[in-house]
Each structure stands twice: as C-alpha cells, then as structure tokens.
Amino acid sequence: MTRIDGKYQVLRELARQGSQVDFEVQDDRGEHWKLRWFDIADNQTRALFHRYRSVLRALNPPALLDVMARPGAYYSIWSWPDGQPLGDYLKQPVKDPEAAEGLEALAAQLGQLGSSLQDAEIFLQDGRPQLFCLQPAERSQEEIAELNAPLLQQLRSGRMRRRRRSGPKAERLRLSPWAVIPGLVLLLLAAVVGDQAAQIYLNPPVREVPQVTGEPYQQASQRLVAAGFSVQVTPGSSSSQKAGVVLSSNPPAQSALHAGRTVVITVNAPPSRVVPALSGLTASEAQTALADQHLPIGQTDHAYSSSVPSGQVIAQYPPTGTVLLQGGRVRLLVSLGPHKVRTYLPDLTGLSFARARSAVLAAGLVLSKVSLRSSNRPLGTVLSQSPSPGTSVPSGSAATLVVAEPPLASPPSQQLPGQITGATAGGGFLLTPSSTAALPTGGIVVTNSAANSLPVATPSAANSQPAATPSSAQQLPPTSGSSSAGSGSSRASSGSAGSSGSAGSSSQTRTVSFAYTFPSDLPSGVATLEYTDATGTHVVVSQRDAAGLLVQVKIQVVGPALFEVVENGQIYDSFRQ
C-alpha cells in the first residue's frame, strides 16, 4: 500500500496491533501526519468503528484532523504530539495541580463515552492534558473504573507543586509619610475592586439555559458556550431522531443557571444496523426483514422485468451488508413482471376458419378453443369470436372461435384383412397379412414410409381399396386448443358399418373403419389420435414423431364420434365419423 484513499502517501509503518496499523503519511501539501488504519472484517468490528467515530466527534480533540468511515476506507488522521507523555508526567515526584485536575476531568469524560485512560494516548501541552489517538472500545463503568484506578492512584500520589514568585531583594528605603499616601490610596482602590471581583466570582450572574434539543450537537455546544456555560456530552439512543442531534439537556431549557456552570447534553448515537439481502423477496417479506433490523422501508419504485416475477424485489439501496444507523431507510425497486403489449382482433365473423386462425396468430393471441355450432352458413365459417372486435387485450391472451358445424358423413366401407399379432400402446392391435383372420374391436394397422416405422402388412389386391381423402371444403377446425393442422394431412376414409345399431343413432354401438395419415408438418413429439363418443374420450394410437404416419383403424364406437390429433396438449386436426 503506497497511497491511502488517494490522499495520503505512506512513508513508513509505525506499529501494527491486531486489525490496526499506524502509518506515518504525507499529504499533497507535504505535511506529515499519523494515520491509524482499521481492517474491518465483519459487522461487529464495523459497528465498533462507527461507535469509535462517534466518541471522537464528541470529544473533538485538537490533535484529530479527520475520521473516515466508508466501505474500504476506515481510518483516523492525527497531528504529531508536542508535549510530555502521560507516563513521564506520572513518574514525576512533584506534579502540577492544574494538569492533575485536567487529567481527572478527561478521565471522567472518557468514562461517560465508554473508554478508559488506558485506551487513549495522552500528552501534556502547556500543562494541559491533550488526547492523541484513541483505541476503539465499548466498556462498562465497572471495567472503566478498574482500568483507571492504577493511573489515578499514581496521579494522586506524591506532592503537588506550589507556585512561587522569586526576585531580587529590594533595598530598604526610608520613606516619608507623603510617599506612603499614594500607596495607601492605591491599596484602598485595590481592596474595593477586589471586593467587587470576589462578589462576581462568588455570585456569578444567573442566565437562562437556551433550547438546544433537536439541534446538531456541534451547533448546540456553540450556543451554550456563547451563553456562558461549559458543555459536557453524553451519548444516548433514539430510533425517531437522526444521529448526532441533541436528545435532551440537563438542566433543561429555560432553567436559571449561574454563568460558567456545566450543561450536560445527551447526543443521539444509536447502534448501527446491517442492511440484509432483499433481492428475490416480495415487498411484504422485505418489509419484515427490515423491521427485524429496525430499518424502515424508504421510497419504493416499480419497473418491468422479464426475469423477476411480479411483486418481487429487483434491487435495493443501500446494498446488502451496508451499515446504517438506526432510523436509516432502505429504498426498493419492485418488479411489475414482463412488459405486455396490448393488441386486438378485427371482426372475424364470416371468414373461413383458416383465415380467422391466421388473423388470431397475426394479432399475437393464442387460439385456445374452437367450438362447433349447427348453422346454414358454409362449413367452417366463423360465427362468433372472443375477444370481441376492437377490444384491447394483452398480447398472448387466449382467443376462442365458434364455427359452422358440417353434417355427419359416413365414409365408404373398407374391409381390412389381417390377424392379431400383439397389443399396441394405444390400446389397439397390430395386424399382419391374413385373409382369414377377423379384425377385433380396437385393432389397428400402422405403416410409415420412414425407416423407423412399424412394419405393416399390405392387403391383397382382391380385398384392398384405396383410402379416400375428403376435399378441403369438408375439413373442420379442431374443437379445442390451438390449431395448426398440417397441409399434408389426409382425412379419415374407409367403410363404416354398425355392429349393433345404425350409424345415425346417437346411442347405438357401431363399427367404424378408416385410414388416416398424420399431418406432414407435425412438430417433434408424441402425437395421439383419440376419439370422443357417447362413452367418453379414448386413445386410438400414440406415436412419437408421427408426421406422415398412416393409421388404419377399425373400432367400435357408441353414437357419433369426433376424432382429434393432439400433440403437446394442442389439437392439430379433427374430423367426424
């Protein structure tokens, strides 16, 4: 370390004791000072240093230049002493009574501030004790009395010097009576003046103690001294007042007191508090954490944040670990959550489902539900919408559509030969070629041109029929979820025949048989073909990466059946059988 705080050049290290280091330093003007540096490692030592600074400011010794306390710089600056050390004075067999009285007064003042004579370096200048450097301490009165006792005993031992005036012996003169008269007059005048002075000294004028409560202690001290009183400072604590202000005076304000008497003022020196970590807490949790440290919340600001949830603290000032005096306030910045852009939907009534869906996506909304309603309008025509046209909503909100429902259509029948080879994960069965095996309820055949597809038998030419794909006019939007059905999907087509009732009855069991190709633009994931009839929702097949996959199905349903292709919780296609 060659320079401290950017102001003092280190010349040499004088002493090192624990976390304290004494340096001889030089300022920019070339003057030499003694700098006492403090290494602050934790909150306890930081709080002790702040109390040490309060004590020095209360004593205000002439040798003290400054005491600095900010993160990374804790030190005090002292001028070099010019006088006799206290230890040399105590060793003298004959002591100056004025110096002894001043030393006892300094010991009493240090004791009121929680320090002893052994915590201080004291020099005598012109017969008066002066404080030069002080160790941080927080002692009880019993401990102070125990530490001061040996020094005070040594101070009071020995003899006190008596002041004498010496001069050459005057020659005896013979004086005439006329020469004595002026001396007698002067002596009489001196007696009168001395009597008046004695009256003033023994009966000083009475003055009123000024009101200094609530003022900074430096200003209060100056006013009391100007009023003719001496001042004594004692520390106190109050959470409702600022640090360094006068809490009370003794005697109180407007009291009558002889000039020259001492007025004791109590100065607010509350204990320091450490600011806790508040980031990530809610505003109420942050207030509770600060209340535990007796630190109230100051100004609270709000800002949008894409990374911090709404209602949680983004930042704080002062930062975590800062030492504040009791009553200090902590400012908070609280998140409002991500900033959402407002948007709206135009009038979609009368548009086709495809155009309406594109408009919903272009507006930044999510198509969460599509409902079907019987209507004389063309199939898939939008009948109503939510939100209504022109309504302002946050971007990303849900939108719903009601479209015209097409009539039920029964595809041509198709016979799928095969035999059962094993159950699939969707509850159906895989088939292999066979012209004699019957296809039971729930049986399916799955094929795909990709290399990782399941092997599927191809029906014989005599029995096979091509799968029919309905025209685009017969395509229907999904009945729920956000829809993005692929352009490469093939609708279900095959024969359907009732096994125990007609297809037109809503409560009869019937058999449906059809072929379906999953949309070619399905995203990666697990796609499910499921249907909903009078008995509920059932899974036909569930396949990972099913884009372009051909499914041949023969199952029994009860009443009308709505088939849906679902992937990652969204409906990509739907049709009725």
Side-chain angles (χ1 to χ4, degrees):
M1 180 186 297
T2 59
R3 196 169 183 85
I4 296 178
D5 206 14
K7 297 187 292 186
Y8 302 102
Q9 183 70 32
V10 176
L11 301 179
R12 62 191 177 104
E13 181 178 322
L14 302 176
R16 182 181 293 269
Q17 180 180 359
S19 61
Q20 302 176 20
V21 186
D22 291 343
F23 297 100
E24 180 181 357
V25 298
Q26 178 179 328
D27 61 14
D28 296 335
R29 296 176 298 179
E31 298 185 10
H32 288 215
W33 307 90
K34 179 178 179 180
L35 186 146
R36 174 161 290 179
W37 179 269
F38 297 84
D39 291 327
I40 304 300
D42 51 33
N43 295 333
Q44 183 177 2
T45 56
R46 185 181 294 106
L48 184 60
F49 181 84
H50 281 279
R51 188 181 185 283
Y52 163 76
R53 182 178 65 169
S54 300
V55 171
L56 288 181
R57 289 183 175 178
L59 294 173
N60 195 22
L64 177 65
L65 175 64
D66 194 9
V67 55
M68 185 62 62
R70 64 170 179 265
Y74 298 87
Y75 61 89
S76 56
I77 291 288
W78 303 82
S79 62
W80 291 100
D82 181 17
Q84 182 183 25
L86 177 61
D88 295 346
Y89 171 78
L90 295 177
K91 293 177 183 179
Q92 294 179 354
V94 179
K95 302 176 179 64
D96 185 4
E98 293 184 359
E101 292 175 359
L103 189 59
E104 289 186 354
L106 179 59
Q109 193 173 8
L110 287 171
Q112 292 176 352
L113 298 176
S115 300
S116 67
L117 290 174
Q118 294 190 14
D119 298 323
E121 298 182 30
I122 301 174
F123 283 76
L124 274 76
Q125 296 180 350
D126 299 329
R128 295 182 179 180
Q130 299 291 341
L131 177 64
F132 173 73
C133 286
L134 182 67
Q135 295 285 349
E138 189 174 2
R139 306 183 185 277
S140 64
Q141 294 299 318
E142 293 78 8
E143 185 179 5
I144 293 173
E146 183 179 355
L147 292 174
N148 287 345
L151 295 177
L152 294 178
Q153 183 178 1
Q154 189 175 0
L155 175 67
R156 294 161 184 162
S157 63
R159 294 179 297 127
M160 295 293 174
R161 179 181 297 129
R162 296 179 59 187
R163 300 190 180 210
R164 298 180 179 177
R165 295 182 180 179
S166 59
K169 294 183 178 180
E171 296 182 0
R172 182 175 295 180
L173 299 176
R174 294 180 179 272
L175 300 176
S176 65
W178 296 106
V180 177
I181 293 176
L184 293 176
V185 173
L186 291 176
L187 181 62
L188 180 61
L189 290 175
V192 173
V193 172
D195 180 68
Q196 292 180 352
Q199 292 295 328
I200 294 175
Y201 177 78
L202 296 177
N203 297 292
V206 177
R207 296 177 181 175
E208 185 178 278
V209 177
Q211 174 64 265
V212 295
T213 301
E215 297 181 0
Y217 76 93
Q218 298 94 336
Q219 178 181 340
S221 300
Q222 293 174 359
R223 289 189 57 197
L224 290 171
V225 171
F229 304 108
S230 61
V231 180
Q232 180 178 338
V233 179
T234 182
S237 178
S238 173
S239 60
S240 60
Q241 297 290 336
K242 295 183 179 180
V245 303
V246 177
L247 300 178
S248 62
S249 63
N250 185 24
Q254 300 181 353
S255 297
L257 189 66
H258 291 287
R261 299 293 175 87
T262 300
V263 177
V264 180
I265 58 176
T266 301
V267 178
N268 190 24
S272 58
R273 306 290 181 181
V274 179
V275 178
L278 305 176
S279 297
L281 302 180
T282 63
S284 59
E285 291 172 344
Q287 185 174 10
T288 301
L290 291 175
D292 293 340
Q293 297 293 328
H294 301 283
L295 294 172
I297 290 182
Q299 180 178 345
T300 300
D301 300 314
H302 296 81
Y304 292 102
S305 174
S306 59
S307 58
V308 180
S310 177
Q312 291 188 4
V313 176
I314 301 175
Q316 64 186 78
Y317 183 82
T320 302
T322 303
V323 177
L324 290 180
L325 292 178
Q326 181 176 333
R329 296 182 176 271
V330 179
R331 295 181 59 181
L332 299 179
L333 180 63
V334 179
S335 173
L336 292 174
H339 183 67
K340 292 186 178 181
V341 179
R342 306 290 293 185
T343 186
Y344 67 93
L345 278 180
D347 189 0
L348 306 178
T349 305
L351 299 180
S352 66
F353 172 73
R355 292 182 60 188
R357 179 181 59 191
S358 299
V360 170
L361 297 179
L365 301 181
V366 177
L367 185 57
S368 62
K369 183 179 180 181
V370 178
S371 302
L372 301 177
R373 182 191 300 168
S374 298
S375 173
N376 294 328
R377 304 290 296 274
L379 303 180
T381 302
V382 176
L383 302 179
S384 64
Q385 67 185 74
S386 177
S388 57
T391 302
S392 176
V393 294
S395 177
S397 300
T400 62
L401 298 176
V402 178
V403 300
E405 180 180 18
L408 292 176
S410 298
S413 62
Q414 178 182 11
Q415 181 64 34
L416 296 176
Q419 64 180 5
I420 300 173
T421 60
T424 67
F429 298 87
L430 295 178
L431 302 184
T432 59
S434 174
S435 59
T436 59
L439 184 65
T441 300
I444 64 173
V445 176
V446 179
T447 185
N448 196 336
S449 60
N452 60 354
S453 62
L454 293 174
V456 177
T458 304
S460 63
N463 297 321
S464 61
Q465 296 180 8
T469 302
S471 64
S472 59
Q474 298 297 325
Q475 292 187 4
L476 293 179
T479 57
S480 65
S482 176
S483 172
S484 61
S487 60
S489 65
S490 296
R491 291 297 173 184
S493 65
S494 71
S496 107
S499 60
S500 59
S502 64
S505 174
S506 61
S507 61
Q508 297 298 322
T509 301
R510 59 193 179 91
T511 300
V512 294
S513 177
F514 60 91
Y516 176 79
T517 301
F518 282 88
S520 60
D521 58 351
L522 279 178
S524 177
V526 177
T528 301
L529 175 61
E530 58 186 38
Y531 70 94
T532 303
D533 63 359
T535 63
T537 301
H538 311 276
V539 175
V540 178
V541 64
S542 181
Q543 178 71 23
R544 180 178 296 278
D545 299 333
L549 182 67
L550 174 61
V551 182
Q552 293 178 322
V553 180
K554 183 177 182 180
I555 58 175
Q556 290 184 345
V557 299
V558 177
L562 174 66
F563 288 81
E564 295 176 329
V565 177
V566 181
E567 181 167 346
N568 298 328
Q570 294 189 357
I571 299 175
Y572 282 84
D573 198 8
S574 66
F575 55 90
R576 290 182 178 273
Q577 288 289 342

